Amino acid sequence: MIPVAVFVKTPGLSEVKTRLAQTVGKEKAVSVYRLCCRWTQELLEQARTHSKLLPIWAVAEEEGMGHPLWSRWDRVCQSGSTLGERLHSVYEPLQKKYGAAMVLGADSPELVPELLGEAVKILSSGSEVKMVLGKTPDGGFYLFGGNCAISKKVWTSIPYSESSTSKALEAQLESLGKIEPLPLCADIDYFEDLISVMTRLKTSSPGKYSSLLALELI
């Protein structure tokens, strides 16, 4: 079993989708975030029926651990003041306990169960060090997984929310072992990301498209 820790913030306790909110407003940005979290939960529920993965919420706030949004799965609390510290605080204990672990963002509506299944397959095959990395078009990443220990120094040395984020992570990890690339997939940070994702969802997932359209974002 390989745990997949989904990084989330609890609306009402933390600000969510602040960059999107600058264009669509706070209330609508929260609605988009809630939809994305629901779709991510559905994604992992589908994936776990075919793959040996264990969904876990990685919650940003201690007081959010008991929130109804996160009641379906086990929860771990992120700790640290920077994203690198929080990633390390979640990945390290899960990798030690299970031998491999994945961290996943909650805002990529185009992800499909087969992609997660492929990541599990890669990390489960053979005894050598394996890592998987799913990049976003803006230079970030939506998923990372590994079957090896990664030092806190590596996680905290990465410049996050930059166009160089995923390349910097690869550069830090290449000495540890092989990094298998996963398909490119967008996450929703800015309004432009939302429009691009909605355009593709109109064909690939009409239901999700209709749900976003109903929010009157455009």
Side-chain angles (χ1 to χ4, degrees):
M1 193 69 69
I2 295 180
V4 182
V6 183
F7 274 59
V8 291
K9 296 179 180 179
T10 308
L13 297 178
S14 294
E15 296 292 323
V16 299
K17 292 291 152 212
T18 54
R19 289 171 288 186
L20 178 63
Q22 292 173 4
T23 304
V24 304
K26 181 177 178 179
E27 184 177 343
K28 289 184 177 180
V30 169
S31 295
V32 171
Y33 184 72
R34 283 177 172 269
L35 273 179
C36 287
C37 289
R38 191 188 84 196
W39 290 333
T40 301
Q41 179 173 292
E42 292 171 353
L43 167 75
L44 268 72
E45 290 292 348
Q46 293 174 40
R48 73 190 302 189
T49 63
H50 303 290
S51 303
K52 293 181 179 180
L53 60 82
L54 176 66
I56 297 173
W57 293 118
V59 183
E61 320 87 7
E62 183 69 40
E63 60 269 39
M65 292 285 281
H67 195 281
L69 274 176
W70 323 128
S71 62
R72 191 175 184 90
W73 303 333
D74 286 341
R75 296 161 297 283
V76 297
C77 190
Q78 304 172 32
S79 64
S81 59
T82 67
L83 179 54
E85 291 172 345
R86 296 195 299 271
L87 284 164
H88 177 260
S89 74
V90 172
Y91 176 85
E92 181 187 40
L94 290 176
Q95 188 276 322
K96 283 184 178 179
K97 181 176 181 179
Y98 293 94
M102 290 190 277
V103 292
L104 177 69
D107 53 0
S108 296
E110 296 173 277
L111 286 177
V112 295
E114 292 78 12
L115 184 148
L116 293 176
E118 180 61 23
V120 169
K121 183 179 178 181
I122 292 170
L123 295 177
S124 303
S125 62
S127 58
E128 67 272 24
V129 170
K130 294 280 185 68
M131 290 168 282
V132 292
L133 181 63
K135 297 181 181 181
T136 56
D138 61 5
F141 63 96
Y142 63 86
L143 181 150
F144 172 80
N147 64 0
C148 56
I150 297 173
S151 70
K152 184 177 181 179
K153 182 178 180 180
V154 167
W155 289 114
T156 56
S157 68
I158 307 302
Y160 294 97
S161 299
E162 302 286 346
S163 60
S164 60
T165 296
S166 60
K167 288 184 178 179
L169 181 60
E170 283 183 307
Q172 287 287 339
L173 296 173
E174 62 184 1
S175 63
L176 296 179
K178 187 175 183 180
I179 305 173
E180 296 281 359
L182 297 173
L184 197 71
C185 187
D187 55 6
I188 298 175
D189 291 323
Y190 295 94
F191 183 68
E192 294 76 14
D193 303 326
L194 175 66
I195 296 302
S196 296
V197 168
M198 286 183 67
T199 299
R200 293 189 294 273
L201 288 176
K202 188 174 183 179
T203 300
S204 64
S205 184
K208 291 181 180 180
Y209 172 77
S210 296
S211 294
L212 287 169
L213 197 64
L215 298 179
E216 300 182 347
L217 301 161
I218 55 178

